[in-house]
Amino acid sequence: MNYRSKYKAPILTVDAVIFQMSGDQLHVLLTKRANEPFKGDWALPGGYCAQGSTTMEALSQIVKRKVGVDLESQLGYVEQLYTFDTVARDPRGHAVSVTYMGCGRAIEPAAAEQEIAWHGVDQLPTLAYDHEKIIAYARERLAAKLTYTNAAMGLLDRKFTLSQLQTAYEAVMGRTLDKRNFRKKFLSLGLIHETPDMWREGAHRPAKLYAFNNNSLEALSRSFD
Amino acid sequence: MNYRSKYKAPILTVDAVIFQMSGDQLHVLLTKRANEPFKGDWALPGGYCAQGSTTMEALSQIVKRKVGVDLESQLGYVEQLYTFDTVARDPRGHAVSVTYMGCGRAIEPAAAEQEIAWHGVDQLPTLAYDHEKIIAYARERLAAKLTYTNAAMGLLDRKFTLSQLQTAYEAVMGRTLDKRNFRKKFLSLGLIHETPDMWREGAHRPAKLYAFNNNSLEALSRSFD
DNA sequence: GTGAATTAGTGTACTATTGACACAATTTAC
DNA sequence: GTAAATTGTGTCAATAGTACACTAATTCAC
């Protein structure tokens, strides 16, 4: 096939799975679709990627406009998740969607074009397209990343207590962890350090605040032999 | 933006990183570009994805036509790698490339449109586009997969010796492994089983042949706590 | 058929990591 | 000062990882 002849590119869309902690639950940012198809259903924020901008640039603009979140400044980190495509995915024709996953903390969306809401990942409403699968995949990916990177950074304030860290791990992984083992293990990884500050809240002993050593995503190496 | 108005999709391309073992080295299948841009340079097999076919379908057709390899029947497994895009990636304009990675064994390419060759991943020629980075990324991904999946399956015959398996691991990871520890570890994973057959070759003791329990990709779970 | 060459196949001792498990310390509210 | 709440801590057993060297089985040359 020759590009100049009769080549017609598939529709290219981008979608974002934006996570944050709310209480002790992992939540995902959704928007209510105002138009067909799937009018009235909840969906991941996303839209078209046009010629001339990268998928990440397109996503930034779309997310900013539609749900009022600035990926650059309001998320701890963003990474590409997967590219989904099926001829039937979008009723309007063949679509390819490049999806990204990001984690943030206490995100305050600015004015947005669309109705938005945070939903607990364990209590999702009916979702448009295959977005339920995409969210499940994003959560799996994030859970895997937690075991060998400092990705939890994205879900926490710059300074956090070990209990907050553990709560985030439990929310993403969907199971409880042992407090002593979690602390022992995590501290031995060397990803975080103590700060002089304490977290005081409620009628109980205050907690030491920790911070990640590295503000960008850091991976530990795994070994085989 | 409205789809029906002035939306114009970026060029969508697909590229394949196809690995196989040759001797004790990991090799990647490359084609020599016959046209500009990068005419004469080596590149990953790939091409345009047009409306109406999924990226995987497009890739299958392209790889079959250009380098004579049938992804379905000639590769042990194929998975999506990453989607690369930069405005400058393709000199003709903004392009988005969905890349896939696959592993095969003693692949015999059929008649192909383009000049092709297998290159050792540690002795790559000058490559077109950012294909060098893509290959490095694919290798990293494969190395990571080897530590928690049966992905090595793709690189081996259905029946193989433990030495062959170890050689494949060493080639992908780029370092040597201890024979006794490798065997102990791998056998304990429970991914493979002994067969009654022996591999006889050369003036030395014959080796037991093993087979994977599962013909599709299988992942072991990692734990945190 | 004997010895040289080559690769397959095996075990042990040590260290590090994981996982199960319970109670004292510190703070606030009353 | 006592109750309520949450932080913070250690040990032991089991498992997994790591370093390391020799014997077994075969072919080939003589």
Side-chain angles (χ1 to χ4, degrees):
Chain A
M1 184 185 310
N2 190 305
Y3 164 53
R4 299 182 183 285
S5 59
K6 53 188 179 291
Y7 170 71
K8 198 164 177 206
I11 299 166
L12 190 67
T13 63
V14 288
D15 291 292
V17 182
I18 300 173
F19 288 124
Q20 78 171 2
M21 291 297 295
S22 183
D24 59 359
Q25 284 243 302
L26 185 69
H27 285 238
V28 62
L29 183 59
L30 300 177
T31 76
K32 195 171 239 172
R33 285 190 61 80
N35 303 308
E36 295 295 345
F38 296 102
K39 186 171 176 175
D41 281 353
W42 290 95
L44 295 172
Y48 297 107
C49 177
Q51 218 172 71
S53 55
T54 64
T55 52
M56 188 62 200
E57 287 163 2
L59 188 72
S60 288
Q61 290 161 16
I62 289 165
V63 167
K64 183 77 191 180
R65 191 177 71 244
K66 290 197 177 173
V67 298
V69 171
D70 183 345
L71 295 183
E72 280 289 317
S73 68
Q74 294 187 277
L75 292 194
Y77 87 98
V78 178
E79 67 170 45
Q80 195 186 105
L81 186 61
Y82 197 78
T83 298
F84 295 89
D85 67 339
T86 65
V87 173
R89 178 175 140 72
D90 188 312
R92 286 162 298 190
H94 180 212
V96 173
S97 171
V98 182
T99 61
Y100 286 80
M101 167 180 75
C103 294
R105 171 79 186 170
I107 299 169
E108 303 273 3
E113 273 183 8
Q114 303 186 342
E115 184 182 351
I116 64 173
W118 292 96
H119 291 257
V121 289
D122 289 320
Q123 299 96 37
L124 291 176
T126 301
L127 292 170
Y129 304 109
D130 48 0
H131 288 185
E132 188 171 348
K133 262 185 233 134
I134 296 176
I135 293 169
Y137 183 68
R139 185 188 188 173
E140 246 177 66
R141 171 84 70 93
L142 183 56
K145 289 239 152 185
L146 290 186
T147 70
Y148 68 95
T149 71
N150 62 354
M153 178 192 58
L155 294 170
L156 299 168
D157 279 330
R158 200 176 70 72
K159 294 180 177 179
F160 53 87
T161 70
L162 291 180
S163 294
Q164 290 164 355
L165 180 63
Q166 183 176 343
T167 299
Y169 267 73
E170 290 177 337
V172 175
M173 293 184 163
R175 65 195 181 89
T176 59
L177 302 171
D178 177 83
K179 193 204 256 195
R180 276 173 293 190
N181 292 340
F182 178 81
R183 287 169 183 234
K184 189 179 7 162
K185 171 76 180 284
F186 208 93
L187 289 171
S188 79
L189 293 180
L191 293 172
I192 59 175
H193 61 271
E194 250 182 79
T195 73
D197 305 323
M198 302 290 280
W199 172 268
R200 293 166 187 283
E201 187 197 55
H204 53 79
R205 179 171 175 177
K208 283 184 198 162
L209 283 165
Y210 289 79
F212 280 95
N213 299 330
N214 208 319
N215 278 328
S216 50
L217 198 66
E218 184 177 359
L220 305 165
S221 60
R222 286 167 293 179
S223 66
F224 190 81
D225 169 288
Chain B
M1 183 184 311
N2 189 304
Y3 164 51
R4 298 183 182 287
S5 59
K6 52 187 181 294
Y7 171 71
K8 196 164 178 208
I11 299 166
L12 190 67
T13 63
V14 288
D15 291 293
V17 182
I18 300 173
F19 289 123
Q20 77 171 4
M21 292 295 297
S22 183
D24 59 0
Q25 284 242 303
L26 185 68
H27 286 238
V28 61
L29 183 59
L30 299 176
T31 76
K32 195 170 239 173
R33 285 190 60 81
N35 303 308
E36 294 298 341
F38 296 103
K39 185 171 176 174
D41 282 352
W42 291 93
L44 295 172
Y48 296 106
C49 176
Q51 216 172 70
S53 55
T54 64
T55 52
M56 187 62 199
E57 287 164 3
L59 188 72
S60 288
Q61 290 161 18
I62 288 164
V63 168
K64 182 77 192 179
R65 189 178 72 246
K66 291 197 175 173
V67 298
V69 171
D70 183 347
L71 295 183
E72 280 289 316
S73 68
Q74 294 187 277
L75 291 194
Y77 86 98
V78 178
E79 68 170 45
Q80 196 187 104
L81 186 62
Y82 197 77
T83 298
F84 295 88
D85 67 340
T86 64
V87 174
R89 177 176 143 70
D90 187 313
R92 284 162 299 189
H94 180 214
V96 173
S97 172
V98 183
T99 60
Y100 286 80
M101 167 180 74
C103 294
R105 171 79 187 170
I107 299 169
E108 302 274 2
E113 273 183 5
Q114 302 186 343
E115 184 181 352
I116 65 175
W118 292 96
H119 291 258
V121 289
D122 289 320
Q123 299 95 38
L124 291 175
T126 301
L127 292 170
Y129 303 110
D130 48 2
H131 288 186
E132 188 170 347
K133 263 184 230 134
I134 296 177
I135 293 170
Y137 183 67
R139 185 188 188 175
E140 247 178 65
R141 170 85 68 93
L142 184 56
K145 291 240 151 184
L146 290 185
T147 69
Y148 67 97
T149 70
N150 61 355
M153 179 191 59
L155 294 169
L156 299 168
D157 280 329
R158 200 176 69 72
K159 294 181 179 179
F160 53 86
T161 69
L162 290 180
S163 294
Q164 289 165 353
L165 181 64
Q166 182 174 344
T167 300
Y169 267 73
E170 290 177 336
V172 174
M173 295 185 161
R175 65 196 181 88
T176 59
L177 301 172
D178 178 82
K179 192 204 258 193
R180 277 173 292 190
N181 293 339
F182 178 82
R183 288 169 182 233
K184 188 178 10 160
K185 170 75 180 285
F186 209 93
L187 290 171
S188 78
L189 293 180
L191 293 173
I192 60 175
H193 60 271
E194 249 182 80
T195 71
D197 306 324
M198 302 290 282
W199 172 270
R200 293 166 188 285
E201 189 198 54
H204 53 80
R205 179 171 174 175
K208 284 185 197 160
L209 284 165
Y210 290 78
F212 279 95
N213 299 330
N214 207 319
N215 278 327
S216 50
L217 197 66
E218 184 176 0
L220 304 166
S221 60
R222 285 167 292 179
S223 65
F224 190 81
D225 171 288

